[in-house]
Amino acid sequence: MGKTARQDEENVPRGTRVFQNHTYHTSTRKVNEEDVRSRLEIDAFTTNANVHPDYTTEKECGRPAVYNKAPESSSFTNPTPLNDVKFVQCGSIVEDPVLDEILGRRGSGNHPVIVTTDEILACIMTAPFSRYSWDLRALRVGQNIVLEHRGMESKVHAQWVHETSYYKYTPKESTGEDQDGKVDSCDTLERESTEVNYSFANQCASKAVLNIKTDPLAKAPEAYTRKGMYIYKIYSLHEGTPDHFEIVVRCEVRTGTDAGDETANHIRAFGLLQYTPVKPERSAFSDPPIIAWSADNINNVLLEEAANNKCKIARWIALSHLSDAQMKIGLIGRKVVPATPQQPRKVVHSILNVLTVEPATLAANLKIEMGALWGNASLVIRNLLEDEMIGAIQKPGDAKCLTFFEDPDMSDEDSEDSDDSDDSDDSDDSDDSTGSDE
């Protein structure tokens, strides 16, 4: 645990934005110390070299929806109701036949190939910014690695709220109670924010699809649970060196606009949930102000929210960079309707504004270098490649490091497969002996 608020106030100059080193949300997955292979301190990323990989587009499958411009008419005085829908996560990429074909074709070369999705790649690109926990599986296929999530439990999809804000304003794990649990706790806000982000992207997709030439989606229902286009790219890192490896990444594009000549402008839409933290009691030094959302200070709102949600915004930038897409950021207001004897507490969402941003411009404004994000991914992957016993990665919510460990779940599955194989062998032997007796 970190210092108390009083100790922090005594040691920090007035007006300084500080981040208390308290325990953040811990992972749903407990890692046994005997399974740990290595740890990578977050400080190691600060001295990491920038990387600027080349890439080729291997394949484009499916067609994105035509971007729905209607939400852009929203304003603070005339908001648009958000159509809340349940978040849907894509299935395992192991089920994706396109990735399987690419790995089979390129995975037997002189260098390893990493196969993953844009969501997972963006997660490790922004690993130094994350304070809440997530974990990934590293499935070994010879010298190659398939990086994938463990479903909802991995928290790779999580859209945390105020993850990097001033520590007194960061949502806590307990902020009051109602019949559903904690009110505005970090977990309940994350679930709400994740659905808001998905809902806004869904509302920006019309029912029509762009008339562009792409390959049809392969028949893999477990891999594709969302409509849109999937771009398969191959990035080459450290080519010409002993550290050379490739990343095959599936990038998602849900919407786009017609640019003529059978091409399309890709769009990634993100919903930023409004959160006004409770102002703490007056302290010994000046706490930073809470910026109110309004049309008059819209530019300040984006910069302030980018600081409060640096990991989330950086991931959005990385996702848009990987998809060669323009960003549409919807500012989503929330109104809490208290519980009554007739109905439970609920939160009503509305679109207050839509900001159009180029990822490179936003990254420059926030002093985020794409080369540094690629350098982060390179450092994590090289650490994976150095130890073939590593089967999973975790960012613990209470530590400034990444933990690389053997995956006990995979060991259990291997054991079950082995048991099944042994049973099958025993059965065959039994049949053979029976036959000989006859």
Side-chain angles (χ1 to χ4, degrees), residues 154-392:
S154 280
K155 291 295 184 182
V156 173
H157 65 284
Q159 304 292 323
W160 298 105
V161 177
H162 274 231
E163 182 176 0
T164 54
S165 72
Y166 175 67
Y167 77 90
K168 289 185 180 179
Y169 301 163
T170 303
K172 306 299 186 291
E173 292 190 30
S174 175
T175 319
E177 295 186 4
D178 65 2
Q179 66 274 21
D180 298 321
K182 309 300 181 186
V183 177
D184 287 357
S185 69
C186 61
D187 281 316
T188 55
L189 279 171
E190 177 270 309
R191 289 193 293 271
E192 180 185 342
S193 177
T194 299
E195 294 205 349
V196 159
N197 179 62
Y198 183 73
S199 298
F200 177 71
N202 191 69
Q203 198 158 330
C204 287
S206 67
K207 293 183 179 180
V209 295
L210 287 173
N211 185 25
I212 58 175
K213 288 185 178 179
T214 60
D215 292 315
L217 286 176
K219 293 182 179 179
E222 292 299 321
Y224 307 114
T225 51
R226 297 195 283 256
K227 294 180 180 179
M229 178 169 72
Y230 292 88
I231 307 172
Y232 297 83
K233 292 182 175 182
I234 300 176
Y235 287 89
S236 180
L237 284 78
H238 310 296
E239 193 167 357
T241 74
D243 292 330
H244 181 210
F245 62 86
E246 290 182 342
I247 302 178
V248 178
V249 56
R250 186 184 73 195
C251 305
E252 181 180 3
V253 179
R254 293 189 65 188
T255 57
T257 57
D258 188 6
D261 299 327
E262 295 182 343
T263 60
N265 291 322
H266 303 161
I267 290 176
R268 299 284 304 233
F270 306 99
L272 181 62
L273 180 67
Q274 182 182 31
Y275 171 68
T276 304
V278 177
K279 188 77 173 178
E281 295 182 5
R282 191 172 184 84
S283 59
F285 69 97
S286 299
D287 292 317
I290 297 173
I291 303 295
W293 283 22
S294 72
D296 296 332
N297 63 345
I298 194 70
N299 291 328
N300 291 334
V301 166
L302 181 58
L303 291 176
E304 180 67 14
E305 290 300 321
N308 293 335
N309 301 276
K310 186 173 183 179
C311 185
K312 179 165 64 178
I313 300 295
R315 283 169 66 179
W316 292 354
I317 290 172
L319 287 168
S320 302
H321 163 77
L322 293 169
S323 298
D324 299 317
Q326 187 180 61
M327 302 174 71
K328 299 285 186 179
I329 300 179
L331 302 184
I332 311 300
R334 66 194 298 263
K335 180 180 179 181
V336 180
V337 180
T340 66
Q342 291 75 31
Q343 65 178 16
R345 165 191 177 272
K346 67 177 181 178
V347 182
V348 179
H349 301 111
S350 56
I351 305 171
L352 304 177
N353 202 292
V354 178
L355 305 175
T356 302
V357 187
E358 296 297 335
T361 302
L362 183 57
N365 290 340
L366 301 179
K367 295 181 171 55
I368 296 174
E369 295 186 29
M370 289 311 306
L373 297 186
W374 276 109
N376 296 339
S378 171
L379 185 59
V380 173
I381 291 171
R382 280 185 286 128
N383 207 73
L384 277 172
L385 292 172
E386 287 174 0
D387 185 351
E388 64 181 16
M389 295 301 294
I390 295 173

Side-chain angles (χ1 to χ4, degrees), residues 63-78:
R63 291 187 290 171
V66 175
Y67 174 66
N68 176 23
K69 297 181 179 179
E72 294 192 14
S73 63
S74 308
S75 67
F76 285 85
T77 55
N78 186 29

Side-chain angles (χ1 to χ4, degrees), residues 94-166:
V94 174
E95 305 291 338
D96 189 327
V98 178
L99 289 175
D100 185 59
E101 185 274 329
I102 295 174
L103 179 60
R105 180 161 39 86
R106 301 186 70 94
S108 58
N110 297 324
H111 55 268
V113 174
I114 312 302
V115 177
T116 192
T117 66
D118 54 355
E119 184 179 53
I120 292 171
L121 182 55
C123 185
I124 63 175
M125 291 171 87
T126 57
F129 304 139
S130 60
R131 295 186 176 180
Y132 296 118
S133 61
W134 46 263
D135 64 79
L136 301 170
R137 268 183 172 169
L139 308 179
R140 304 278 171 167
V141 184
Q143 66 175 346
N144 311 304
I145 297 175
V146 177
L147 275 176
E148 72 161 357
H149 58 68
R150 293 187 306 113
M152 298 292 279
E153 291 183 358
S154 280
K155 291 295 184 182
V156 173
H157 65 284
Q159 304 292 323
W160 298 105
V161 177
H162 274 231
E163 182 176 0
T164 54
S165 72
Y166 175 67

